Amino acid sequence: MANVAVVGAQWGDEGKGKIVDWLSERADIVVRFQGGHNAGHTLVIDGVTYKLSLLPSGIVRPGKLSIIGNGVVIDPWALASEIDKLSAQGVEVTRDNLRIAGNATLILPLHRDLDQLRETAAGTAKIGTTGRGIGPAYEDKVGRRAIRVNDLADFRTIGPKVERLLAHHNALRRGLGQPEIDARSLIDQLAEIAPHVLAYSDAVWSLLDEARRDGKRILFEGAQGILLDIDHGTYPYVTSSNTVAGQAASGSGLGPSAIGYVLGIAKAYTTRVGSGPFPTEQDNEIGETIGARGREFGTVTGRKRRCGWFDSVLVRQAIKTSGIHGIALTKLDVLDGLETIKVAVGYRLDGQELARLPAAEEAQARVEPIYETLEGWRESTAGARSWADLPAQAIKYVKYLEELIECPVALLSTSPERDDTILVTDPFAD
């Protein structure tokens, strides 16, 4: 059976949590492969709401193994807190259902401090990060000075590693007018939290290779969205990791041949959190209406999301750069009752029409969307579980989007409840 990678096809917040949960019932293993605890997933199961930010969505499903891969940056204190919250909801987290890559990078308090200091200093030019230290942790990973999960296993050798890390960070802190960090204090903090992480540490790549050879179904769960990819997103207003499907391989330790199907998640409209270009944004009554109906507030930060019409140019571009085979279209019900619905089919820039988003930051900020207007539908799509339950105009809208993005809709989600899903193509099928 095919292993499946799930990625966001917009700027994140597309409803991946529900779709991954829906698919996880068919999988044996669920793997997080990038990002950190800056991205949240909300799951609604049997009326109970679970809010996850670092743990894979499969953790709430009995009998499933959840894995945090080497491509993820891990705040061990946030991880311990999230495990405690799940335990309070009756979800037991043990080594039997959670493993963490020993070569994954740790997010430390100094990363969080630096993230917030930089955003404050940037003023109106800020990127719009969550301030959780994800970016600085990835910087240290690339700079080869990071502390990794495996380093917590031997405190006889951690001293020089911490000194190397602080040689960099204390210089930055002096420049920002902040006090230096004491190495002994940091080591003591790490020693205290170490057992909470090492309990789950493993050679994840080897574990996954064995599972693949045994015919286990593996579900790779992405965070954020392709338009936030460090290479292919709206740079510099992006996250600090690769969010495209190719990262599922390098962020878990399995080769790309292990991934058989890539499922992209896209809302029936568009949202974005934080700064950066947003060609179809509706900073008006329409945007407010969509935001209110869709409850568009961040799972992790609570920040209000910017809302706008569906942008077929960006979704099509995401599909190409991530090798997406099918789209799971979510939140169609949010558009119920609108008299007309607009879809961006292209852009104008300096008098020229474009079929893609330019790479330059300045050009991205100036593109103007070219819209097609479609008739809306009065009937409700909420809770629909078959095409026969959908209004004719809603079906027409979905089919039109398929044509524009050059990719089929494999699943259609019509509410946060996991069973309110129309399956067109099973991603796990051969």
Side-chain angles (χ1 to χ4, degrees):
M1 305 299 289
N3 296 322
V4 177
V6 177
V7 291
Q10 293 163 315
W11 278 295
D13 309 309
E14 302 95 348
K16 292 185 293 297
K18 172 195 166 170
I19 300 300
V20 170
D21 173 60
W22 191 87
L23 289 170
S24 69
E25 195 168 51
R26 312 158 107 87
D28 300 299
I29 301 173
V30 183
V31 185
R32 270 285 307 271
F33 58 84
Q34 49 78 217
H37 64 305
N38 54 340
H41 289 163
T42 299
L43 311 180
V44 181
I45 302 172
D46 298 329
V48 179
T49 299
Y50 301 93
K51 293 184 180 294
L52 306 176
S53 55
L54 187 57
L55 292 168
S57 298
I59 199 70
V60 299
R61 290 283 168 197
K64 311 295 180 183
L65 176 61
S66 290
I67 289 178
I68 298 177
N70 58 274
V72 179
V73 286
I74 301 167
D75 182 325
W77 294 273
L79 176 66
S81 175
E82 191 170 332
I83 290 173
D84 287 344
K85 288 177 182 177
L86 278 184
S87 296
Q89 290 186 281
V91 178
E92 187 177 10
V93 180
T94 69
R95 188 173 173 83
D96 291 335
N97 63 352
L98 177 65
R99 302 291 176 89
I100 298 174
N103 54 339
T105 292
L106 296 177
I107 301 173
L108 307 179
L110 55 82
H111 294 126
R112 185 170 58 250
D113 290 348
L114 181 58
D115 204 354
Q116 294 171 4
L117 286 167
R118 282 174 171 171
E119 283 288 89
T120 300
T124 57
K126 65 182 180 181
I127 298 297
T129 77
T130 59
R132 282 164 164 72
I134 281 80
Y138 273 117
E139 289 178 41
D140 283 342
K141 176 180 179 177
V142 174
R144 293 165 292 185
R145 55 181 170 265
I147 304 299
R148 306 202 296 181
V149 171
N150 282 337
D151 293 327
L152 301 181
D154 188 354
F155 277 83
R156 295 171 302 176
T157 61
I158 203 170
K161 297 173 184 177
V162 169
E163 293 288 354
R164 183 174 66 226
L165 177 70
L166 292 184
H168 174 79
H169 277 272
N170 280 336
L172 289 175
R173 292 177 69 87
R174 288 194 297 270
L176 291 167
Q178 299 297 312
E180 294 187 10
I181 293 170
D182 176 65
R184 185 70 256 168
S185 176
L186 178 56
I187 290 172
D188 288 345
Q189 287 180 285
L190 291 172
E192 184 178 2
I193 196 66
H196 298 274
V197 182
L198 291 175
Y200 310 101
S201 180
D202 207 339
V204 159
W205 67 269
S206 179
L207 185 67
L208 287 172
D209 177 65
E210 183 178 345
R212 181 185 61 82
R213 287 187 284 108
D214 287 344
K216 302 287 188 182
R217 289 179 172 182
I218 304 171
L219 180 61
F220 299 90
E221 175 185 11
Q224 296 124 335
I226 295 166
L227 300 179
L228 292 174
D229 185 274
I230 188 69
D231 290 306
H232 300 288
T234 48
Y235 190 91
Y237 302 98
V238 293
T239 193
S240 301
S241 62
N242 286 111
T243 58
V244 293
Q247 179 65 17
S250 58
S252 66
L254 277 182
S257 61
I259 303 166
Y261 189 96
V262 180
L263 180 68
I265 317 295
K267 285 176 179 169
Y269 50 97
T270 311
T271 64
R272 176 163 201 171
V273 171
S275 307
F278 186 170
T280 63
E281 182 175 12
Q282 298 298 297
D283 189 12
N284 52 30
E285 186 178 347
I286 284 291
E288 290 293 327
T289 298
I290 292 173
R293 289 184 180 181
R295 298 175 184 147
E296 296 297 350
F297 295 91
T299 300
V300 172
T301 64
R303 288 188 294 179
K304 185 178 179 181
R305 296 172 186 146
R306 301 154 64 189
C307 298
W309 297 118
F310 188 89
D311 191 330
S312 69
V313 180
L314 287 181
V315 174
R316 183 173 63 242
Q317 195 162 319
I319 287 167
K320 306 296 185 185
T321 57
S322 211
I324 291 172
H325 297 96
I327 286 287
L329 192 68
T330 66
K331 292 199 168 185
L332 182 67
D333 54 302
V334 173
L335 302 180
D336 291 353
L338 296 179
E339 288 189 15
T340 58
I341 299 171
K342 291 185 177 181
V343 179
V345 297
Y347 300 135
R348 286 193 184 90
L349 178 64
D350 300 331
Q352 292 187 323
E353 292 192 6
L354 301 176
R356 59 178 174 80
L357 186 71
E361 177 186 355
E362 295 75 19
Q364 289 177 354
R366 292 190 297 111
V367 295
E368 299 177 358
I370 300 171
Y371 287 118
E372 288 288 341
T373 302
L374 285 76
E375 180 184 347
W377 54 90
R378 295 187 179 277
E379 305 93 329
S380 173
T381 64
R385 298 184 181 183
S386 72
W387 288 107
D389 296 333
L390 295 176
Q393 284 302 127
I395 295 175
K396 184 177 179 181
Y397 178 71
V398 174
K399 294 298 182 183
Y400 185 53
L401 296 188
E402 284 185 319
E403 180 183 330
L404 291 173
I405 65 178
E406 300 174 8
C407 185
V409 169
L411 292 94
L412 190 63
S413 171
T414 57
S415 94
E417 292 291 339
R418 68 187 305 276
D419 291 331
D420 292 340
T421 305
I422 300 172
L423 176 63
V424 181
T425 302
D426 185 352
F428 275 118
D430 285 327

